[in-house]
Amino acid sequence: GEDVEQSLFLSVREGDSSVINCTYTDSSSTYLYWYKQEPGAGLQLLTYIFSNMDMKQDQRLTVLLNKKDKHLSLRIADTQTGDSAIYFCAESINDMRFGAGTRLTVKP
Amino acid sequence: DVKVTQSSRYLVKRTGEKVFLECVQDMDHENMFWYRQDPGLGLRLIYFSYDVKMKEKGDIPEGYSVSREKKERFSLILESASTNQTSMYLCASSSTSAGHYGYTFGSGTRLTVV
């Protein structure tokens, strides 16, 4: 995952917004993704954004893409304890490359 | 509900044993992948397959081999297990090699080599 970078930990209080950031290096990436991994489970696709889009919103999730800076973010509004998980950013060109994952902890 | 099924959730094996990890998907996907996941390192690609009987090395193939005799099944083989292969192993499949609509992952196999 060295081509995709994200911070390893984030802690927020229940009800606050969470913002998880990611930088990628390949400007030719066509799709960018966010996956969620709950304890003891595999990765679940949360959302993805095509590279010609700036923003995508899906209920409590907002994805922002800044192609100039190769920066992707995932905002979770009204964060709940059930959102505690590891969140992976990924880019795809010919195959998919994952970041190391950000462990989100939600405190009551 | 589409699925990728990994045969074991937890495995404990001895050093030097030959270990088979099985993965089956029911989505008729051409592409299947094996990753290992380690804390702080994220997911690293071991092997992948674009078709039956076809395999390609990923980033860390050393110490592993794979088999794809049927479209729905992709097996990861540890020829002689070592303690540094203790890890979480994740299988995934997709309809395209770049996974334009995302990969579907199994629940993972946590392998401990003692």
Side-chain angles (χ1 to χ4, degrees), chain A residues 23-90:
Chain A
T23 57
Y24 60 99
T25 58
D26 197 323
S27 58
S28 59
S29 295
T30 50
Y31 287 85
L32 295 132
Y33 306 83
W34 286 103
Y35 287 83
K36 177 183 180 182
Q37 184 182 35
E38 296 181 348
L43 276 67
Q44 170 195 357
L45 179 66
L46 268 184
T47 186
Y48 63 91
I49 187 167
F50 189 50
S51 57
N52 68 352
M53 298 170 64
D54 297 325
M55 185 181 86
K56 181 178 180 181
Q57 187 152 3
D58 182 3
Q59 299 182 332
R60 292 190 297 120
L61 304 179
T62 303
V63 178
L64 294 177
L65 175 61
N66 181 329
K67 283 195 71 176
K68 175 177 170 289
D69 295 336
K70 299 189 189 70
H71 184 265
L72 182 74
S73 67
L74 174 70
R75 178 176 181 269
I76 306 173
D78 187 25
T79 314
Q80 303 297 307
T81 54
D83 295 323
S84 292
I86 302 176
Y87 291 81
F88 290 90
C89 170

Side-chain angles (χ1 to χ4, degrees), chain A residues 1 43 88 98-100, chain B residues 35-37 41-45 90 105:
Chain A
L43 276 67
F88 290 90
F98 292 85
Chain B
Y35 289 87
R36 65 177 281 177
Q37 180 183 7
L41 298 178
L43 276 66
R44 292 180 291 168
L45 182 63
L90 293 167
F105 281 85

Side-chain angles (χ1 to χ4, degrees), chain B residues 17-72:
Chain B
E17 277 193 77
K18 190 169 186 176
V19 182
F20 293 85
L21 303 184
E22 305 288 345
C23 175
V24 176
Q25 51 97 0
D26 65 0
M27 295 164 284
D28 202 35
H29 283 168
E30 280 77 26
N31 307 284
M32 297 187 74
F33 308 84
W34 275 107
Y35 289 87
R36 65 177 281 177
Q37 180 183 7
D38 299 289
L41 298 178
L43 276 66
R44 292 180 291 168
L45 182 63
I46 306 171
Y47 267 97
F48 57 100
S49 170
Y50 291 151
D51 203 351
V52 175
K53 296 192 186 294
M54 180 271 179
K55 59 186 178 184
E56 293 285 345
K57 292 180 180 179
D59 298 322
I60 52 163
E62 296 78 19
Y64 303 94
S65 62
V66 290
S67 172
R68 186 134 183 235
E69 295 296 319
K70 294 184 178 181
K71 190 176 185 180
E72 66 270 19

